[in-house]
């Protein structure tokens, strides 16, 4: 019989946590025992896995005995607090937070791009930022072919990126605004219903936000290109769960839209949706619930004459490939 693994999910009740449970189930991950961990508020409640009720336990330092993989999605502070306990227990921590991503001793992994890095772990493997994962899955195959030099990205990020409370806020505010009620922003700095907010994570001295700098630093680390130039504007939009990105890419060599389509047609984790005559292009409603990143609106950058620029639009499910699916795929590398 093939080996089965004991898996813990810290933050099991959160927006990403519940997708982790479902992804393990849907992909038939060889689970022996599944341990669901959250705060004391959730202890004693149950969540379903493969049709069975599993009682949620309070996350403590003793939660990881006999665990093989500990998937964390309960925020950076919780990851930092429990990392030592996970590593000492002998489990591999797959951490969805930003706590360890830029740590030189921690691999930052998107299996379609740099699976080999995962095997250099010393107990912790980091799951990258959601917008970064979605971007590198589509961009790395082009980088491999024509060497990417510069990337300018604008994101259209769903409320799921702020967790269950972000999605709930969009739903509540939409109802309240349509019925003329007063609204009170909580999860976001401003109203998100019928609005967009060019502010995700905290502002830095250079005018960028931390989210924008994550896309720069993490994409360099994942794609192993320390000199890549990246500039981003990250925007929260009133979309429930899939992130979209407008990408302007400059390559070392000339590249045509036809070449881009041919490369992405066979790229793992990418689905080409690029038939403008039929009004087919990536949209968050179509990307929601999918494992693949949708790529389309592929065209030559008309602002340059050297044929080295490409524009493209992508959409990907933030909770799946941007978080839960990527984490489960990392665990699958060891199965
Ligand atoms: P709980 O539901 O018990 O609060 P989201 O990103 O959707 O907001 O989810 C955050 C996840 O992190 C939830 O599962 C939440 O559990 C969990 N969490 C938050 N604070 C703690 C904590 N102090 N200890 C353990 N889990 C926590």
């Amino acid at each position: 019989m093939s080996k089965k693994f004991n898996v813990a999910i810290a933050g099991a009740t959160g927006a990403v946590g519940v997708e982790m449970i479902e992804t393990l189930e849907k992909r038939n991950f060889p689970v022996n025992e599944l341990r669901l961990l959250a705060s004391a508020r959730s202890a004693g409640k149950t969540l379903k896995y493969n049709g069975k009720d599993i009682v949620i336990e309070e996350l403590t330092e003793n939660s990881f005995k006999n665990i093989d993989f500990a998937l964390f999605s309960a925020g950076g502070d919780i990851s930092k607090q429990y990392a030592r306990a996970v590593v000492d227990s002998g489990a591999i921590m797959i951490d969805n937070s930003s706590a360890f991503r830029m740590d030189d001793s921690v691999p930052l992994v998107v299996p379609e791009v740099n699976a080999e890095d995962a095997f250099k772990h010393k107990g912790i493997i980091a799951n990258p930022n959601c917008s970064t994962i979605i971007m590198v899955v589509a961009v790395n195959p082009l980088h491999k072919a024509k060497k990417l030099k510069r990337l300018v990205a604008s994101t259209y990020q769903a409320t799921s990126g702020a967790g269950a409370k972000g999605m709930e806020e969009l739903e509540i505010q939409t109802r309240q605004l349509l019925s003329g009620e007063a609204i009170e922003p909580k999860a976001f700095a401003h109203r998100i219903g019928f609005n967009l907010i060019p502010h995700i994570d905290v502002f830095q001295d250079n005018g960028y936000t931390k989210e924008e700098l994550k896309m720069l630093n993490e994409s360099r680390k994942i794609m192993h290109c320390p000199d890549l130039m990246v500039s981003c504007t990250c925007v929260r939009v009133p979309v429930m769960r899939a992130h979209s990105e407008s990408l302007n890419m400059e390559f070392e060599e000339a590249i045509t839209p036809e070449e881009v389509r041919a490369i992405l047609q066979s790229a793992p984790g990418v689905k080409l949706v690029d038939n403008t005559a039929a009004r087919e292009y990536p949209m968050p409603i179509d990307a929601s619930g999918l494992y693949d990143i949708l790529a389309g609106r592929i065209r030559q950058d008309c602002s340059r004459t050297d044929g080295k620029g490409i524009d493209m639009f992508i959409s990907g499910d933030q909770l799946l490939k941007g978080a839960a699916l990527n984490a489960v795929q990392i665990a699958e590398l060891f199965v």
Side-chain angles (χ1 to χ4, degrees), residues 102 151 155 172 225:
M102 296 314 295
L151 177 61
T155 71
I172 290 171
C225 42

Side-chain angles (χ1 to χ4, degrees), residues 86-231:
V86 175
V87 175
D88 286 350
S89 77
I92 298 178
M93 178 184 200
I94 300 174
D95 182 32
N96 196 48
S97 82
S98 60
F100 304 107
R101 287 181 191 150
M102 296 314 295
D103 188 324
D104 283 341
S105 65
V106 175
L108 183 65
V109 177
V110 177
E112 291 86 346
V113 180
N114 63 333
E116 68 285 357
D117 288 350
F119 301 101
K120 298 174 196 151
H121 79 85
K122 297 186 172 64
I124 305 174
I125 300 172
N127 209 36
N129 162 268
C130 46
S131 296
T132 310
I133 297 178
I134 288 164
M135 179 169 80
V136 298
V137 167
V139 164
N140 189 61
L142 308 175
H143 168 60
K144 284 260 175 326
K146 302 283 179 171
K147 193 154 190 331
L148 187 64
K149 192 171 162 193
R150 181 165 180 264
L151 177 61
V152 180
S154 298
T155 71
Y156 306 75
Q157 296 182 221
T159 54
S160 57
K165 61 186 184 313
M167 295 193 284
E168 192 184 30
E169 185 147 318
L170 173 60
E171 193 176 325
I172 290 171
Q173 282 186 5
T174 305
R175 286 184 206 284
Q176 288 175 325
L177 288 160
L178 286 173
S179 52
E181 291 172 37
I183 58 119
E184 187 198 347
K186 285 190 191 136
F188 304 108
H190 299 276
R191 164 182 141 185
I192 188 63
F194 304 106
N195 190 23
L196 52 80
I197 308 170
H199 171 188
I200 301 180
D201 213 329
V202 294
F203 282 102
Q204 306 295 287
D205 289 344
N206 62 0
Y208 284 87
T209 62
K210 245 188 182 172
E211 181 85 354
E212 290 158 355
L213 298 181
K214 283 175 199 168
M215 290 181 74
L216 160 69
N217 294 318
E218 294 183 21
S219 59
R220 284 178 169 177
K221 180 169 172 176
I222 300 161
M223 297 201 292
H224 299 168
C225 42
D227 302 325
L228 179 65
M229 294 182 283
V230 180
S231 180

